[in-house]
Amino acid sequence: MRKTYGDAYAEDLRFVARRVVGEENFIDMTPNRSNNYCCGGGGGALQAGYTEGRRHFGKLKTDQILATGAAYCIAPCHNCHSQIHDLSEHFKGGWHTVHLWTLICLSLGCLGENERAYLGPDLAEVGL
Amino acid sequence: MSTQPIKLGKQRKSLFKDKVMQLLPDGGNLNACLTCGACASGCPATGLAGMDPRKFLRMASMGLDEEILKTEWVWNCTLCWRCLYVCPMKIDIPQLVYHARKSWPRDERPKGIRASCDMALKHETCSAMGASEEDFRFVVEDVLEEARANQPGWENLEAPINKSGAMYFLNQNSREPVTEPDEMVPLWKILHTVGADWTYATKGWGAENYCMFLADDENWERIVRIKAKAVDDLGCKYWVNTE
């Protein structure tokens, strides 16, 4: 958002996220939009080999996610998904990291049995 | 963070920063720093390798080229632009970092990024995981067939490949076809549900571009051109990047 289309596109994604999870289940992190912090998965970091540094970088994102108390973190970008998934495991954050497509199909009632790798036990059977 | 003072020798001219300034519009404002530290206070990479964005820029200004051109911090930084976004003087620190990456001999840059770049250059698919045109077609067709057969109501699901004149050219991060192909199906279902006229392509389908992260400009451009040509060759109007 910060590097390309700006906050208007962040609003579009929020619209989608709110519709698929329900307004009462949507929790924004702080800071957000263009003031948000990078998760630390981009710029080649996932492949650069400085694993300890990458996780230290991601501690800020970890704390942001934990402060929301949310059970799921939506990561629409692939690098972010890999990094945030790793952060949850490494720092024992306990949240699940999901692609947006997973939640869209879950809300449409068409998420197949083999398409639920990133859902927690609370949602794993929903709509099957 | 290091508490050791940085000892300056004789007055040194900053060759590296001057060189980068010649490449950027308005010199990237690299001489406009107010030393306020807004960049460093909001940078998740602050403290790694004893460095932060403010320190990196100040060291460049003081001509400590040797130190900033060898710090591994340039690979800890993800070029996320938050420092630039919050900077009151709009100083382009990310470009300074990028050019520092570029100054590393190619074979000394991080092996993982380099290998992913090199792999993407092996096939016209641009896949950093080395998946070929045949591999991609096989996986997509195989997963599609299974979804159609096993998921009631999705007998007509489509995943077109090389469909000439489609409105949207969709690329795909290599991780899905190579390591978790079932994750492609939800995406196809969404496109199907909204009635999108889309296509994959056997050439240029890889969404990732590690040559960009490697600061290998020549091969970064080469990969973008292969992908753009694939979109043009199919006559697609929009190029949708899932990365």
Side-chain angles (χ1 to χ4, degrees):
Chain A
M1 297 304 151
R2 185 157 59 226
K3 292 177 76 168
T4 54
Y5 299 115
D7 285 354
Y9 277 71
E11 293 309 319
D12 284 353
L13 277 176
R14 274 172 177 71
F15 172 79
V16 175
R18 286 175 201 275
R19 291 301 294 249
V20 299
V21 305
E23 183 68 41
E24 68 280 15
N25 292 316
F26 178 80
I27 311 168
D28 222 332
M29 60 177 66
T30 307
N32 52 54
R33 302 175 174 84
S34 285
N35 276 321
N36 212 326
Y37 300 119
C38 172
C39 68
L46 282 164
Q47 308 280 16
Y50 301 108
T51 308
E52 197 185 327
R54 172 172 61 74
R55 286 174 173 155
H56 187 278
F57 186 119
K59 185 63 171 56
L60 207 50
K61 180 60 67 188
T62 301
D63 292 342
Q64 275 185 289
I65 296 168
L66 290 176
T68 66
Y72 286 84
C73 178
I74 306 173
C77 152
H78 229 295
N79 279 327
C80 301
H81 183 276
S82 297
Q83 167 77 345
I84 295 170
H85 185 78
D86 178 70
L87 291 174
S88 182
E89 298 210 336
H90 177 75
F91 289 112
K92 302 192 173 18
W95 72 80
H96 302 283
T97 312
V98 285
H99 296 289
L100 195 50
W101 62 60
T102 305
L103 291 186
I104 293 175
C105 283
L106 185 65
S107 72
L108 289 170
C110 66
L111 191 65
E113 204 177 338
N114 299 333
E115 299 150 22
R116 298 170 175 246
Y118 297 105
L119 292 180
D122 54 338
L123 294 178
E125 307 284 325
V126 171
L128 272 181
Chain B
M1 208 181 306
S2 169
T3 51
Q4 290 294 104
I6 297 163
K7 290 204 172 68
L8 294 174
K10 288 179 190 163
Q11 189 80 24
R12 275 192 282 177
K13 187 172 161 52
S14 173
L15 297 174
F16 172 64
K17 182 171 65 64
D18 292 348
K19 199 176 84 182
V20 175
M21 287 184 76
Q22 284 168 13
L23 300 171
L24 302 177
D26 298 322
N29 298 331
L30 293 179
N31 280 344
C33 182
L34 304 173
T35 71
C36 70
C39 53
S41 66
C43 172
T46 283
L48 293 172
M51 192 60 76
D52 65 60
R54 177 184 177 278
K55 190 170 172 182
F56 190 78
L57 177 68
R58 297 307 300 150
M59 287 174 77
S61 292
M62 290 187 284
L64 296 169
D65 289 10
E66 199 181 313
E67 290 83 348
I68 60 170
L69 293 180
K70 76 175 184 209
T71 176
E72 67 182 43
W73 186 77
V74 298
W75 305 103
N76 293 137
C77 163
T78 59
L79 308 169
C80 80
W81 282 23
R82 197 179 190 278
C83 55
L84 171 57
Y85 183 76
V86 299
C87 177
M89 302 308 288
K90 294 292 160 241
I91 299 175
D92 203 341
I93 297 173
Q95 279 287 358
L96 194 65
V97 173
Y98 181 84
H99 282 88
R101 284 188 181 194
K102 216 163 82 170
S103 76
W104 283 44
R106 194 180 190 279
D107 61 1
E108 289 175 23
R109 298 176 206 175
K111 196 176 148 196
I113 305 180
R114 198 173 69 240
S116 294
C117 168
D118 289 344
M119 192 59 92
L121 297 168
K122 281 192 192 303
H123 302 279
E124 279 191 289
T125 59
C126 304
S127 164
M129 294 175 85
S132 69
E133 295 181 40
E134 297 74 28
D135 294 340
F136 184 62
R137 180 184 285 281
F138 174 80
V139 170
V140 168
E141 289 178 352
D142 189 51
V143 172
L144 178 66
E145 195 182 306
E146 198 185 307
R148 281 175 162 184
N150 299 334
Q151 299 204 39
W154 293 100
E155 295 79 6
N156 296 321
L157 184 65
E158 287 184 59
I161 299 175
N162 296 336
K163 182 182 169 190
S164 221
M167 179 79 82
Y168 301 101
F169 179 108
L170 181 71
N171 63 19
Q172 187 73 63
N173 186 295
S174 290
R175 196 173 84 174
E176 273 92 36
V178 176
T179 67
E180 43 183 7
D182 286 328
E183 286 294 326
M184 294 189 287
V185 182
L187 191 53
W188 303 344
K189 287 174 177 169
I190 295 164
L191 292 163
H192 184 90
T193 303
V194 299
D197 176 20
W198 70 283
T199 188
Y200 281 137
T202 43
K203 292 186 197 300
W205 59 263
E208 61 277 6
N209 189 341
Y210 280 91
C211 299
M212 173 176 72
F213 300 143
L214 188 66
D216 177 346
D217 286 359
E218 188 189 329
N219 287 316
W220 171 10
E221 178 176 346
R222 184 173 153 192
I223 281 178
V224 171
R225 288 197 183 280
I226 290 171
K227 294 178 184 180
K229 182 174 184 302
V231 180
D232 287 342
D233 285 350
L234 287 176
C236 297
K237 194 170 177 189
Y238 295 97
W239 181 6
V240 183
N241 193 345
T242 59
E243 173 70 351

mmCIF file of all heavy atoms in Angstrom, chain B residues 38-56:
data_model
loop_
_atom_site.group_PDB
_atom_site.id
_atom_site.type_symbol
_atom_site.label_atom_id
_atom_site.label_comp_id
_atom_site.label_asym_id
_atom_site.label_seq_id
_atom_site.Cartn_x
_atom_site.Cartn_y
_atom_site.Cartn_z
ATOM 1 N N ALA B 38 13.095 10.127 13.104
ATOM 2 C CA ALA B 38 11.771 9.518 12.882
ATOM 3 C C ALA B 38 11.916 8.202 12.117
ATOM 4 O O ALA B 38 11.195 7.233 12.370
ATOM 5 C CB ALA B 38 10.857 10.480 12.120
ATOM 6 N N CYS B 39 12.860 8.172 11.195
ATOM 7 C CA CYS B 39 13.100 6.958 10.400
ATOM 8 C C CYS B 39 13.489 5.793 11.305
ATOM 9 O O CYS B 39 12.894 4.713 11.254
ATOM 10 C CB CYS B 39 14.184 7.213 9.357
ATOM 11 S SG CYS B 39 15.726 7.888 10.025
ATOM 12 N N ALA B 40 14.492 6.043 12.164
ATOM 13 C CA ALA B 40 15.028 4.959 12.998
ATOM 14 C C ALA B 40 14.026 4.490 14.047
ATOM 15 O O ALA B 40 13.952 3.301 14.359
ATOM 16 C CB ALA B 40 16.316 5.416 13.675
ATOM 17 N N SER B 41 13.229 5.436 14.580
ATOM 18 C CA SER B 41 12.313 5.050 15.664
ATOM 19 C C SER B 41 11.180 4.171 15.153
ATOM 20 O O SER B 41 10.587 3.419 15.925
ATOM 21 C CB SER B 41 11.761 6.287 16.365
ATOM 22 O OG SER B 41 10.946 7.025 15.492
ATOM 23 N N GLY B 42 10.864 4.234 13.865
ATOM 24 C CA GLY B 42 9.782 3.395 13.342
ATOM 25 C C GLY B 42 10.266 2.304 12.423
ATOM 26 O O GLY B 42 9.485 1.748 11.657
ATOM 27 N N CYS B 43 11.538 1.984 12.480
ATOM 28 C CA CYS B 43 12.081 0.958 11.574
ATOM 29 C C CYS B 43 12.254 -0.361 12.315
ATOM 30 O O CYS B 43 12.986 -0.419 13.305
ATOM 31 C CB CYS B 43 13.429 1.411 11.016
ATOM 32 S SG CYS B 43 14.282 0.104 10.078
ATOM 33 N N PRO B 44 11.574 -1.440 11.848
ATOM 34 C CA PRO B 44 11.726 -2.724 12.531
ATOM 35 C C PRO B 44 13.152 -3.272 12.460
ATOM 36 O O PRO B 44 13.506 -4.166 13.220
ATOM 37 C CB PRO B 44 10.760 -3.643 11.767
ATOM 38 C CG PRO B 44 9.816 -2.736 11.060
ATOM 39 C CD PRO B 44 10.610 -1.505 10.729
ATOM 40 N N ALA B 45 13.975 -2.740 11.550
ATOM 41 C CA ALA B 45 15.348 -3.245 11.424
ATOM 42 C C ALA B 45 16.330 -2.446 12.272
ATOM 43 O O ALA B 45 17.537 -2.719 12.250
ATOM 44 C CB ALA B 45 15.788 -3.224 9.957
ATOM 45 N N THR B 46 15.822 -1.464 13.010
ATOM 46 C CA THR B 46 16.707 -0.679 13.880
ATOM 47 C C THR B 46 17.359 -1.586 14.925
ATOM 48 O O THR B 46 16.671 -2.364 15.588
ATOM 49 C CB THR B 46 15.903 0.451 14.566
ATOM 50 O OG1 THR B 46 15.683 1.489 13.624
ATOM 51 C CG2 THR B 46 16.681 1.044 15.751
ATOM 52 N N GLY B 47 18.676 -1.471 15.022
ATOM 53 C CA GLY B 47 19.408 -2.267 16.009
ATOM 54 C C GLY B 47 20.055 -3.504 15.432
ATOM 55 O O GLY B 47 21.025 -4.020 15.978
ATOM 56 N N LEU B 48 19.517 -3.993 14.319
ATOM 57 C CA LEU B 48 20.135 -5.157 13.693
ATOM 58 C C LEU B 48 21.483 -4.751 13.113
ATOM 59 O O LEU B 48 21.611 -3.680 12.524
ATOM 60 C CB LEU B 48 19.230 -5.719 12.577
ATOM 61 C CG LEU B 48 17.905 -6.343 13.036
ATOM 62 C CD1 LEU B 48 17.031 -6.679 11.831
ATOM 63 C CD2 LEU B 48 18.178 -7.606 13.841
ATOM 64 N N ALA B 49 22.466 -5.605 13.268
ATOM 65 C CA ALA B 49 23.826 -5.361 12.770
ATOM 66 C C ALA B 49 24.359 -4.002 13.255
ATOM 67 O O ALA B 49 25.183 -3.374 12.582
ATOM 68 C CB ALA B 49 23.870 -5.437 11.234
ATOM 69 N N GLY B 50 23.873 -3.555 14.417
ATOM 70 C CA GLY B 50 24.334 -2.289 14.979
ATOM 71 C C GLY B 50 23.994 -1.076 14.126
ATOM 72 O O GLY B 50 24.679 -0.057 14.180
ATOM 73 N N MET B 51 22.935 -1.197 13.346
ATOM 74 C CA MET B 51 22.633 -0.146 12.365
ATOM 75 C C MET B 51 21.183 0.290 12.474
ATOM 76 O O MET B 51 20.346 -0.403 13.076
ATOM 77 C CB MET B 51 22.931 -0.706 10.951
ATOM 78 C CG MET B 51 22.947 0.287 9.818
ATOM 79 S SD MET B 51 24.169 1.604 9.996
ATOM 80 C CE MET B 51 25.671 0.711 9.581
ATOM 81 N N ASP B 52 20.864 1.440 11.927
ATOM 82 C CA ASP B 52 19.483 1.897 11.752
ATOM 83 C C ASP B 52 19.484 2.872 10.574
ATOM 84 O O ASP B 52 20.557 3.293 10.126
ATOM 85 C CB ASP B 52 18.936 2.525 13.052
ATOM 86 C CG ASP B 52 19.664 3.792 13.450
ATOM 87 O OD1 ASP B 52 19.661 4.761 12.666
ATOM 88 O OD2 ASP B 52 20.240 3.824 14.560
ATOM 89 N N PRO B 53 18.312 3.260 10.069
ATOM 90 C CA PRO B 53 18.285 4.075 8.843
ATOM 91 C C PRO B 53 18.964 5.438 9.002
ATOM 92 O O PRO B 53 19.667 5.899 8.099
ATOM 93 C CB PRO B 53 16.789 4.263 8.559
ATOM 94 C CG PRO B 53 16.060 3.318 9.413
ATOM 95 C CD PRO B 53 16.955 2.885 10.516
ATOM 96 N N ARG B 54 18.764 6.041 10.173
ATOM 97 C CA ARG B 54 19.376 7.354 10.405
ATOM 98 C C ARG B 54 20.893 7.229 10.419
ATOM 99 O O ARG B 54 21.612 8.013 9.790
ATOM 100 C CB ARG B 54 18.878 7.921 11.742
ATOM 101 C CG ARG B 54 19.493 9.248 12.145
ATOM 102 C CD ARG B 54 18.987 9.637 13.532
ATOM 103 N NE ARG B 54 19.594 10.864 14.019
ATOM 104 C CZ ARG B 54 20.784 10.929 14.600
ATOM 105 N NH1 ARG B 54 21.512 9.834 14.732
ATOM 106 N NH2 ARG B 54 21.258 12.079 15.024
ATOM 107 N N LYS B 55 21.371 6.234 11.130
ATOM 108 C CA LYS B 55 22.814 6.016 11.232
ATOM 109 C C LYS B 55 23.414 5.704 9.862
ATOM 110 O O LYS B 55 24.493 6.191 9.514
ATOM 111 C CB LYS B 55 23.052 4.844 12.203
ATOM 112 C CG LYS B 55 24.489 4.650 12.601
ATOM 113 C CD LYS B 55 24.527 3.617 13.747
ATOM 114 C CE LYS B 55 25.961 3.218 14.059
ATOM 115 N NZ LYS B 55 25.998 2.189 15.114
ATOM 116 N N PHE B 56 22.688 4.899 9.092
ATOM 117 C CA PHE B 56 23.153 4.518 7.756
ATOM 118 C C PHE B 56 23.334 5.771 6.881
ATOM 119 O O PHE B 56 24.362 5.951 6.226
ATOM 120 C CB PHE B 56 22.138 3.564 7.125
ATOM 121 C CG PHE B 56 22.608 2.921 5.850
ATOM 122 C CD1 PHE B 56 23.499 1.858 5.870
ATOM 123 C CD2 PHE B 56 22.152 3.375 4.617
ATOM 124 C CE1 PHE B 56 23.934 1.255 4.699
ATOM 125 C CE2 PHE B 56 22.579 2.785 3.438
ATOM 126 C CZ PHE B 56 23.467 1.718 3.479
#
